[in-house]
Amino acid sequence: MDFITPLISMVERLCTSMASRASRVINLDRGIQLFATELIELKDKRDDLRTLLEQAELDGSRRTNEVQRWLARVEVIETEATSIIESFGQSRERSGCLNPSCYSKYNLSKEMIEKLKELSELKGKGNFERLVTEPRPAPVEEKPCRPAIGISVMVQKVWEFLEEGKLGIIALYGMGGVGKTTLLKTINNAFLTRDHSYDVVIWVLVSKEFVVSKIQQSIVARLELPWDESETHEHLTSKIYNVLKKKRFLLLLDDVWERIDLGDIGIPLPDEENKCKLIFTTRSMDVCSDMDAHRKLKVELLTDDKSWQLFCEKVGRMEILESLAIRTYAETIVQKCGGLPLALITVGRAMANKETEEEWKYAIELLNKSPLELRGMEDVFTLLKFSYDNLENEATKMCFLYCSLFPHSYCIEKEQLVEYWIAEGILDSSYDRHAYNKGYAVIGSLKVACLLETGEEETQVKMNDVIRSFALWIASGCGVNKGKFLVEACLGLTEAPGVKNWEGAQRVSLLDNGITGLKEVPICPNLLTLLLQWNNGLNQIPDDFFQSMIALRLLDLSFTSIRKIPVSIGELLELRHLNLTATKITTLPKELGSLAKLNHLNLLRTYSLRKIPREAIAGLSELVVLNLYYSYELWEVHNSESEYDVGLDVLENLAHLCILGLTISTVISLHKLFGIRSLVRCIQYLFIKECEGLHQLELSSTFGYGKLLRRLSIKDCKDLNFLVVDAQDGENWLPNLEVLALHGLPNVTSIWKSPPRETSLHNLRLLNIWYCHRLKNVSWISLLPKLEAIYLFYCKALEEVVSEQEKLEPDSKAFARLKTISIRDLPELRSVTPLALSFPSLKNIAVIDCPKLKKLSIRITHDSSTVPTVYCSKDWWEGLEWDDLSTKNSFLTNFTSN
């Protein structure tokens, strides 16, 4: 029994200890529940705070540093607390309370109590007075930009556009290197000192390979908005939009190559309501349209004086530039830079340390032949190559390169250029309207890309000097194969380059030189194009000159003095296009008939041409274009058995003929022509001369005659009374007629038997009337919407140009395109128009021997951009009567005495 008492005591102590520890375990379970609840409440507070922050940040606000630190601490303590909860759960699963792990649970409880205190304190600190701060970016950020020369006029124009309330989007376009970026930076920096009402001016460089996210990041950074690389595109778009919709912004986008969807970036569309603006630069006019620009401003090349100023600034040594030995060379170099600022800066820097005459001469030689060898020019060409590479297809690129065959800044007729492209096979090898339209579309694309410019006339284009040098570089395979294009046009050559230079050539252009003879016979089997036109002294070509040119497709000998075509012309079996305009040839060789693939034969103004063998034309089975306007006229004169008896019947057998120009000198020939419908439908150029017995000329449209007619010239037809147009009601008379020349028609009192309708002659550009002594007026010309030039000479009875009976209003749109009025020896002329009109396009007025004309009939308005120059005698000028003194004063500086 004595051993029982100690045992009972031990059991009691054991039970007491177990009860105590069991109680602690129960308290630990409750503590864990409380701990987990506290953690959940902290996370809820954190999540609610994040929701508020995300909403505020969408509006452009940035979380405070205090909030950011609190959120970071929550992340840390959440990890630690989660670890404690997980450890407790694992310990409980392994054993009961008698296990030694009870001691670890006890330790966990101590750690939990300490962390619970931190959770409670952190939750209490989560009540903030201010969660975010609103970003306040500087209204303008200055862009590094040196003072620019020659852009002040364009800057002023941009200010005018910005002040127009209805304009939201403004485009600045121009070729690479012309100074678009400089202009945009100048505009940006001007807002640093200029009063304005924009909340923020944003600059973004877009570039050719632009990415939407990069543009968004630039805008977000400029607005000082928070962002993370993990943010989705949609989130960034919303963030930008929510900020910008509350601001009046000016967005400047530099170097845009394609349409940018502003909405996809998050940019509200600038308009009259939000008063926001977008200005962007581009090389393409298409991009201007694609971006819905309200105004387009072309960044022009520098004028001659500004080019010289910029060049001098970059050379920096006026003592050298002003020296007699160097000045001429320097001016030549500036001219070759073509007003392109980047080229002027680059070449100017390259010449800064050149002091000798020889160094300046050598620089000119490099610019002529190897411009890339001049230090820095590679950067210029690299910039231009972006525009070239961006052209839509290989055909357009080849058309561009072809333009480099012409001299720098040479005005190229669009129609001639398209015909060359067709002949080479770059475009469709046909001469239908589709091929011409395609060619004109290519010209449009090159102008849109700022790689071609409009020439002196709307019908012309030209290529900038630097662009041409770049094109020749590309044509040579970027300098690898310089012999492919042999181009030495307009260089004053008196002899052709040596035959060795011709060997690998595909295209040779020696036009507009002083070459008098071609003495050597080149071997050039790959030659496709040979341009020799405008060598006025060229009168001798060896008979075997063409014998190796087996691939030649285009040959232009126009405006040379050749009298004989070499017989080796018959070897050119691939020839498609032969131009002999204004040469002195007297006969066509019969070998010409061997050219079975010839499509285009131009004999315009070959006044001396008297003999055409039948076989020279009959064998041209593929001929599409034949132009004998102001040329061969002896259609029915020779004996029918003569080898030179080419007649209209030969032309009738040319199955593919579509475009025809003819000279007719007898009524018999004219009547025969009018009886051949297939020829009548082809006529585009018609010269009728010395046709005795021709009383009226019927231009019937019944069989298509007159619908294609572009030029009509009638000379010395003494019996002609008027022209008759047989057109159906409402039909447009002569819809394609561009030039009408009437000379020596003494019986004509009224040009048209019936007065023209308002819809008639709507393409007539030039009217030339000489020696029509019974003509009283030409009032019908006031109806011509495209008339550009009027020449009225030696018409003794002409009293008015436009009769007083014509009902013209002061704001009439008559003569809207008229550029030139030239009148001479009109002794009875009293007025040009019955009342003064504005003549908005008029540039030149020439008046000689018109003693009764006392008024100019021109009204000068406040918005008249230019005042026409008047060429006349001083006596006639001083006798003019003026309706008001201001009009007279406007003309004073534009009067030139004969």
Side-chain angles (χ1 to χ4, degrees), residues 121-172:
E121 289 177 356
L122 194 57
K123 188 172 72 169
K125 290 180 179 179
N127 300 316
F128 300 98
E129 292 184 8
R130 188 177 59 168
L131 296 177
V132 294
T133 59
E134 291 186 8
R136 297 188 182 278
V140 186
E141 283 187 351
E142 185 172 7
K143 294 294 171 184
C145 180
R146 295 182 179 181
I149 291 172
I151 67 170
S152 56
V153 173
M154 287 179 285
V155 170
Q156 182 56 39
K157 196 68 181 174
V158 173
W159 292 134
E160 292 173 9
F161 288 163
L162 287 172
E163 289 169 4
E164 289 188 48
K166 294 183 179 180
L167 302 186
I169 303 177
I170 300 164
L172 309 177

Side-chain angles (χ1 to χ4, degrees), residues 33-42 116 119-120 123:
Q33 291 175 3
L34 178 63
F35 185 78
T37 302
E38 194 74 11
L39 178 60
I40 290 170
E41 289 177 358
L42 179 63
L116 181 61
L119 284 173
S120 180
K123 188 172 72 169

Side-chain angles (χ1 to χ4, degrees), residues 217 227-232:
Q217 289 169 18
W227 69 281
D228 189 280
E229 289 189 3
S230 62
E231 285 187 74
T232 65

Side-chain angles (χ1 to χ4, degrees), residues 548-572:
S548 77
M549 302 179 185
I550 55 175
L552 194 67
R553 299 174 70 101
L554 189 153
L555 174 60
D556 197 329
L557 294 165
S558 60
F559 298 96
T560 62
S561 295
I562 60 169
R563 298 178 182 276
K564 178 187 174 185
I565 302 173
V567 293
S568 58
I569 194 82
E571 303 292 327
L572 304 179

Side-chain angles (χ1 to χ4, degrees), residues 614 636 645-654 672 676 679:
R614 293 179 70 88
E636 308 299 330
D645 189 14
V646 64
L648 295 173
D649 58 315
V650 176
L651 306 189
E652 186 179 5
N653 290 326
L654 297 174
K672 184 168 184 179
I676 305 174
L679 293 185

